Amino acid sequence: MQDFADSFGRAASLILRGDRELWAIVLLSLRVSLSAVVIAALVGMPLGAALAVGRFAGRRAAVIGINALMGLPPVVVGLVVYLMLSSSGPLGVLQLLYTPTAMIIAQFVLVTPIIAALTRQAVEDLHAEYAEQLCSLGVSRAASIPTLLWDGRASLMTAFLAGFGRAIAEVGAVIIVGGNINHVTRVMTTTIALETSKGNLALALALGAILILIAVAVNAAVALLDSTTKGAAYANRFDA
């Protein structure tokens, strides 16, 4: 019990004194995950919205496929990206393996289906609500996508959050394509796994605490945005 108490104390000390190695790992984790989620949002949100309002052959199969891809096994994604980026793979010439860019690619593959599927559901609900109004204004299905995305921005922030949560907590894929190289590709999750196996609980606990704080902060921000958006919508209806 004394050892655990000592580990917690040293973990708190690492955070409070601004340990350089600790915060370098945190910043790299945030840079990799945020980059992956932003790119995934730029691809996944328009894709999800198109699936929500579009009517084309194979749409149902595409929706089922996107939903199924939400459960992609991370280690399989890591393996596929590894094979693509390895020296004998089709993208080996780019020499991206064991770099932060490779980790961003792996997280992008994992996160995009999540954002696309959640966006499709949110936009589909909005389109069902505003379909008659949009039709009366002569707005086509394709032209309605930007409007629906903007109107559903609070829900889309939830989709962004879900993607960020998946990315920041990822271990299997990033350790395969990143290699967990110190000061190069070592992020919070891979460091926690490594340091726990080595018995260095102080660093693992410090990084775990920061992961939890990040999750709480992002959830609080989304809740505040959602509350603000609903309050503005209620005020507009009241004024009308």
Side-chain angles (χ1 to χ4, degrees):
M1 184 64 69
Q2 182 64 34
D3 290 340
F4 282 112
D6 181 61
S7 296
F8 277 108
R10 287 187 288 120
S13 177
L14 287 173
I15 296 173
L16 295 175
R17 77 166 187 260
D19 183 77
R20 180 175 298 180
E21 180 181 359
L22 171 74
W23 289 107
I25 293 169
V26 172
L27 290 175
L28 178 61
S29 301
L30 292 174
R31 179 164 66 88
V32 168
S33 295
L34 285 173
S35 297
V37 176
V38 168
I39 298 170
L42 292 175
V43 174
M45 287 182 180
L47 174 61
L51 288 174
V53 304
R55 294 295 180 268
F56 52 88
R59 174 183 175 275
R60 183 173 176 79
V63 170
I64 293 173
I66 288 292
N67 290 336
L69 290 175
M70 292 177 68
L72 277 173
V75 290
V76 174
V77 172
L79 176 60
V80 172
V81 175
Y82 175 89
L83 293 174
M84 295 291 290
L85 299 181
S86 65
S87 58
S88 58
L91 301 178
V93 67
L94 299 177
Q95 297 184 341
L96 295 177
L97 196 62
Y98 303 136
T99 67
T101 302
M103 299 162 72
I104 291 172
I105 293 172
Q107 290 188 1
F108 164 80
V109 174
L110 284 168
V111 169
T112 300
I114 296 174
I115 293 179
L118 295 177
T119 298
R120 182 201 63 79
Q121 185 60 60
V123 173
E124 195 170 81
D125 293 342
L126 285 173
H127 186 257
E129 182 178 352
Y130 297 124
E132 292 184 4
Q133 183 179 355
L134 291 169
C135 183
S136 66
L137 295 173
V139 180
S140 66
R141 289 180 178 271
S144 69
I145 289 178
T147 301
L148 294 171
L149 286 174
W150 174 253
D151 196 63
R153 58 192 180 278
S155 298
L156 298 184
M157 278 300 297
T158 302
F160 187 91
L161 169 64
F164 179 73
R166 175 67 180 268
I168 199 72
E170 177 49 43
V171 183
V174 296
I175 204 169
I176 291 174
V177 302
N180 202 20
I181 302 170
N182 195 24
H183 302 302
V184 180
T185 58
R186 189 165 293 174
V187 293
M188 285 190 282
T189 51
T190 60
T191 304
I192 289 172
L194 175 65
E195 297 301 326
T196 301
S197 67
K198 290 165 56 179
N200 184 8
L201 295 181
L203 182 56
L205 286 169
L207 289 170
I210 292 171
L211 267 175
I212 293 173
L213 287 173
I214 290 172
V216 171
V218 173
N219 274 283
V222 170
L224 179 62
L225 175 64
D226 186 46
S227 176
T228 303
T229 303
K230 288 180 179 178
Y234 178 80
N236 289 338
R237 290 175 183 176
F238 183 78
D239 291 341

